Amino acid sequence: MSLEVNILNQRFENPFMNAAGVMCTSTEDLQKLTASASGSLITKSCTPALREGNPEPRYKMLPLGSINSMGLPNLGFDFYLDYVTSTHDYSKKPLFFSMSGLSVEQNVEMCSKLKEIAAEKSVILELNLSCPNVPGKPQIAYDFDDMRKYLQAVSDAYQRPFGVKMPPYFDMAHFDSAAAVLNDFELVHFITCINSVGNALVVDVETESVVIKPKNGFGGLGGEYVLPTALANVNAFFTRCPSKLVFGCGGVSKGEDAFAHILAGASMVQVGTALHSEGEGIFARLIGELKEVMSRKGYTTLDEFRGKLKVIDN
Ligand code: SIN
């Protein structure tokens, strides 16, 4: 049995990696992920300069997941560029680089600097178009004209294949429109679905209060709550963007969840809330559980069932 994934000119031992934002801000975090059983890892979404992020409390565990409004705390582009250039051990596993400039110009500036190192070190860019947590900055991918501007500018500046981290959509018309924009950009080679379900509100009835401080308690929902929404988005883009890869992110805490993501069309499977709760040991567990599901069903590779989700015919 093999969980190997061969995509983007790279070989991944298995499809599992962290979701950008979880356990990936410092060198220590990134080295823990490199030493773990994951097939890959991604750095924290960065901005040109260091950001402290939003005031605490800004992350809260919930019975079936989490709510967060971190606000892109990160050590700044140069720190992650240095990690990519001098620290990461590429013989262990391939590396993704998440970028979340707060304007077109910031992304262009960072892409122009990343481009040469990316050619040399084969690090792979995931452009975050979906952070819901920066006060006053709407999620880019909810405005299709804006999204097109970002993709055009990044394509022109970067001139290499890259991926995009998308927010969840909830309407067929929006799946169609977003996919049509993405299909216009040849350099977009993968689509990661989904970022957290933005601007949820959790209420603690005992204290009669919200549970996180930023944005008066509004924040991104993750974990088990969002699995069906994540699967819908993975499958919607898998069927609408046949020349692109889809990465699944959202609600993965056991092997069966990963199986469902791959069945819906995912090539890589990112883990966020459950990694935050359980630590990097989760990857060995997920690998074992995914293999168990595959063995029960008689599959020996991921290619045998990826994207083969059945629908109910009469
Ligand atoms: C954050 O830092 O607020 C989370 C990043 C994201 O959701 O894109």
Side-chain angles (χ1 to χ4, degrees), residues 44 68-73 128 130-133 195-196:
K44 171 70 185 168
N68 90 84
S69 182
M70 303 299 288
L72 292 176
N128 185 350
S130 51
C131 178
N133 302 329
N195 207 321
S196 57

Side-chain angles (χ1 to χ4, degrees), residues 139 142 144 167-175 194-198 221 225-226 228-230 232-233 236-237:
Q139 290 163 87
Y142 281 154
F144 298 125
Y169 297 98
F170 305 94
D171 193 286
M172 292 298 181
H174 294 161
F175 290 140
I194 55 172
N195 207 321
S196 57
V197 173
L221 195 65
Y225 297 111
V226 311
T229 298
N233 278 262
F237 286 95

Side-chain angles (χ1 to χ4, degrees), residues 24-26 30 43-47 73-85 97-98:
C24 57
T25 300
S26 64
L30 293 163
T43 57
K44 171 70 185 168
S45 296
C46 68
T47 48
N74 75 92
L75 298 174
F77 174 77
D78 288 345
F79 172 85
Y80 299 101
L81 188 69
D82 186 58
Y83 178 82
V84 164
T85 312
F97 186 100
S98 176

Side-chain angles (χ1 to χ4, degrees), residues 19-23 25 44 53-73 133 195-196 202 210-215 217-225 251-252 271-279:
V22 180
M23 202 185 270
T25 300
K44 171 70 185 168
N54 292 338
E56 298 191 6
R58 58 191 185 184
Y59 186 101
K60 174 83 178 161
M61 290 303 302
L62 303 169
L64 297 176
S66 64
I67 186 169
N68 90 84
S69 182
M70 303 299 288
L72 292 176
N133 302 329
N195 207 321
S196 57
V202 172
V210 301
V211 301
I212 54 172
K213 179 167 178 177
K215 294 176 68 178
F218 285 68
L221 195 65
E224 284 180 57
Y225 297 111
V252 176
V271 188
T273 297
L275 170 62
H276 186 277
S277 311
E278 195 171 326

Side-chain angles (χ1 to χ4, degrees), residues 147-159:
M147 175 161 110
R148 187 176 285 284
K149 278 186 208 139
Y150 274 70
L151 291 174
Q152 191 61 60
V154 166
S155 296
D156 292 344
Y158 197 54
Q159 296 174 341

Side-chain angles (χ1 to χ4, degrees), residues 21-22 38 65 72 81 90 93 109 147 166 171 180 189 198 214 220 229 263 270 274 291 308 312-314:
V22 180
S38 77
L72 292 176
L81 188 69
Y90 290 86
K93 58 188 75 169
E109 177 196 333
M147 175 161 110
M166 301 297 282
D171 193 286
H189 281 214
T229 298
L263 200 59
Q270 302 186 344
K291 283 184 175 170
K308 305 253 169 77
I312 301 170
D313 293 323
N314 284 332

Side-chain angles (χ1 to χ4, degrees), residues 19 45-46 62 137 172 180 204 220 240 251 254 265 299 310:
S45 296
C46 68
L62 303 169
K137 293 273 179 193
M172 292 298 181
D204 182 328
R240 285 167 178 76
K254 50 190 193 303
Y299 293 122
K310 296 175 197 157

